[in-house]
Amino acid sequence: MNSEFISAIDDLVREKGISKDVLIEAIESALVSAYKKNYGTAQNVRVSIDREEGDVDVLMRRDVVEEVEDEFTQISIDEALEIDPRYQVGDVVEYQVTPKDFGRIAAQTAKQVVVQRIREAERGIVFDNYIDRQGELITGVVQRISNETIFVNMGNTEGILVAGERASGEHYRVNDRIKAYIMDVRKSTKGPQIFLSRTHPGFVEKLFELEVPEIEDGTVVIKSIAREAGSRTKIAVYTEDENVDPVGACVGTGGSRVRNVVDELFGEKIDITTWDDDPKILIRNVLSPAKVEEVITDDEEKEATVVVPDYQLSLAIGKSGQNVRLAARLCGWKIDIKSHSQYFDGDFDDETDEEVYEDFEEYDDDGIQYVDEDEAVETDDTAEYAEEEPEEITEEDGDAAEAGGDEVEK
């Protein structure tokens, strides 16, 4: 322990951002333990390190008393006065008891403490960096896979992507590049744990920010996202700029922008629709691609009854109720869908209507009335495009634009 050691400490302080006083105090505390371990645990000592020269002193501490009851922790007033005539009962006498070979022990102990503190500091820096990055998108490399949990190399640390945070059908191999959403950052004894997700709605939002400059600069705002990862996502977008079509901006020329997002999501279907503060217009929009005849709302309960043409019922509900379920999540309203015949005529004579409504009174976990249906019927609202010459996608009457698989719906 010398001035070179102190110089090395100063270098570490600058490089790692560790407080010099905190580091020196940690070394002093460790040296006390090392002294007691090697020279007797009953010793009442403290260690002092010179901040400039690096000299280490072990000092015995004893209380000045009238009568000594413990010779290791107390000293009589008479002995204390021989050391310094200014001592009084109640004072503490300190004198040096540094062993001759203590320098070697001190150096070994200091090294261990410094290494430990550096690790702790680096972990702390990583945690501080990533705790502020929750909700961001990262790109990493698959480092290893264990029991379906993917560990992602993020440069200076490792991210954890568990099986439940990946959509079904997503498979990766070691050294594959992967994008993910920073969902949570936690401290642990082994350092910070960074949990990633590819199923979180925020993941889709960040992908659109990458592809759509209007979203990144705030011209277009994503007001709400409802997602069933691996299957379908609905997004409601809004802008105050009258010269900007929010849906068209997200779709891009020939569907180029949304197609890039769909490719990253392995073909997941995406519906993009316009947000509106009027709940009736909003509900019409979010149920797209189905046509809506009428929307009756209960503002207090935030419930809506939606009437659709008989031939649009299957499309409005969607397969296994997916379309209406996502629509309800997107707008925050409970939605009860009825066909024109049921709502206006009470007509259940048709055999198809009876099949559709036989379980209609059952609610799912989102508070939406629906029945399981086969695939939604294809209507004129669906426009197929080829890879060579994709058709232009436009928004009509607040309908959503959907991209996924091999089709885009206006």
Side-chain angles (χ1 to χ4, degrees):
M1 301 285 283
N2 50 35
S3 58
E4 292 181 2
F5 175 78
I6 294 299
S7 178
I9 291 292
D10 290 336
D11 291 340
L12 287 172
V13 167
R14 286 191 295 271
E15 293 176 8
K16 304 297 183 180
I18 310 171
S19 168
K20 182 176 181 179
D21 288 337
V22 170
L23 190 54
I24 294 294
E25 289 171 5
I27 295 173
E28 289 174 343
S29 177
L31 290 178
V32 170
S33 299
Y35 180 87
K36 291 182 177 181
K37 179 180 179 181
N38 289 274
Y39 301 99
T41 57
Q43 304 298 332
N44 185 26
V45 297
R46 76 176 182 90
V47 173
S48 174
I49 299 177
D50 189 297
R51 264 59 169 177
E52 301 298 329
E53 300 298 328
D55 295 331
V56 178
D57 294 321
V58 182
L59 304 172
M60 177 70 75
R61 297 168 57 87
R62 299 171 73 181
D63 298 326
V64 179
V65 296
E66 291 286 354
E67 293 186 12
V68 176
E69 296 180 356
D70 184 349
E71 61 180 10
F72 292 110
T73 60
Q74 296 175 337
I75 185 173
S76 67
I77 181 62
D78 295 333
E79 290 181 86
L81 291 174
E82 291 178 5
I83 298 173
D84 191 324
R86 291 173 295 180
Y87 279 123
Q88 299 178 1
V89 174
D91 290 342
V92 176
V93 175
E94 286 190 334
Y95 53 92
Q96 192 172 127
V97 291
T98 308
K100 291 182 179 180
D101 62 344
F102 193 65
R104 175 182 56 81
I105 296 173
Q108 293 175 346
T109 304
K111 180 180 179 181
Q112 294 172 356
V113 172
V114 168
V115 170
Q116 180 182 0
R117 287 288 172 161
I118 288 174
R119 288 175 180 169
E120 292 176 356
E122 289 177 339
R123 290 170 179 172
I125 291 171
V126 170
F127 178 82
D128 291 340
N129 286 341
Y130 281 95
I131 193 66
D132 294 330
R133 294 184 61 188
Q134 281 184 264
E136 290 187 9
L137 191 70
I138 63 96
T139 300
V141 177
V142 177
Q143 187 170 10
R144 57 193 175 94
I145 302 174
S146 176
N147 296 327
E148 297 190 358
T149 297
I150 295 177
F151 295 88
V152 180
N153 184 350
M154 299 163 57
N156 59 347
T157 189
E158 191 176 70
I160 302 170
L161 180 63
V162 299
E165 293 301 327
R166 301 196 308 274
S168 58
E170 291 189 1
H171 302 288
Y172 295 93
R173 294 177 295 181
V174 174
N175 294 327
D176 283 351
R177 293 189 67 81
I178 184 173
K179 286 186 175 71
Y181 178 84
I182 300 178
M183 181 176 61
D184 193 14
V185 181
R186 304 174 192 169
K187 280 186 176 179
S188 72
T189 55
K190 295 183 179 180
Q193 290 184 319
I194 301 170
F195 292 94
L196 307 176
S197 175
R198 284 180 58 87
T199 63
H200 197 285
F203 180 57
V204 177
E205 180 178 358
K206 293 302 177 181
L207 289 176
F208 270 100
E209 284 186 10
L210 286 179
E211 298 295 335
V212 184
E214 291 86 347
I215 293 178
E216 186 179 15
D217 64 23
T219 303
V220 175
V221 178
I222 297 178
K223 298 287 284 187
S224 181
I225 297 180
R227 187 182 183 204
E228 292 186 358
S231 179
R232 195 183 195 109
T233 293
K234 280 182 177 285
I235 301 177
V237 293
Y238 174 79
T239 183
E240 294 184 354
D241 191 334
E242 296 180 354
N243 299 317
V244 176
D245 172 14
V247 174
C250 295
V251 173
T253 304
S256 58
R257 291 175 175 178
V258 71
R259 188 184 296 113
N260 290 336
V261 177
V262 169
D263 289 344
E264 178 62 36
L265 299 177
F266 295 92
E268 182 175 318
K269 294 180 184 295
I270 298 178
D271 298 342
I272 307 172
T273 190
T274 305
W275 177 272
D276 199 290
D277 291 331
D278 185 334
K280 292 186 177 181
I281 298 176
L282 177 61
I283 291 169
R284 284 177 179 270
N285 291 349
V286 298
L287 281 171
S288 183
K291 301 294 184 182
V292 175
E293 290 185 354
E294 189 168 351
V295 179
I296 303 95
T297 58
D298 181 342
D299 294 341
E300 291 185 2
E301 299 294 332
K302 291 201 75 173
E303 295 180 352
T305 299
V306 177
V307 182
V308 299
D310 291 4
Y311 73 95
Q312 289 273 291
L313 180 61
S314 178
L315 184 63
I317 293 173
K319 185 178 180 180
S320 299
Q322 185 183 69
N323 189 60
V324 66
R325 182 166 60 249
L326 289 176
R329 291 178 189 168
L330 193 67
C331 66
W333 284 67
K334 291 183 179 180
I335 299 176
D336 177 5
I337 295 184
K338 297 182 183 293
S339 71
H340 181 98
S341 297
Q342 184 204 12
Y343 188 78
F344 291 104
D345 305 329
D347 183 6
F348 288 90
D349 293 338
D350 185 79
E351 183 177 349
T352 302
D353 284 346
E354 291 178 356
E355 291 178 0
V356 168
Y357 287 101
E358 61 181 357
D359 295 322
F360 200 78
E361 294 305 318
E362 294 185 4
Y363 281 80
D364 72 355
D365 293 338
D366 299 299
I368 306 155
Q369 287 181 314
Y370 71 94
V371 292
D372 290 346
E373 277 294 302
D374 296 327
E375 288 283 358
V377 296
E378 186 173 56
T379 69
D380 293 337
D381 298 316
T382 300
E384 295 190 358
Y385 67 86
E387 289 293 330
E388 298 79 17
E389 297 182 358
E391 293 184 10
E392 183 178 358
I393 303 167
T394 60
E395 181 192 8
E396 296 180 7
D397 300 326
D399 290 342
E402 174 186 328
D406 294 322
E407 66 178 19
V408 171
E409 294 177 336
K410 294 189 291 183

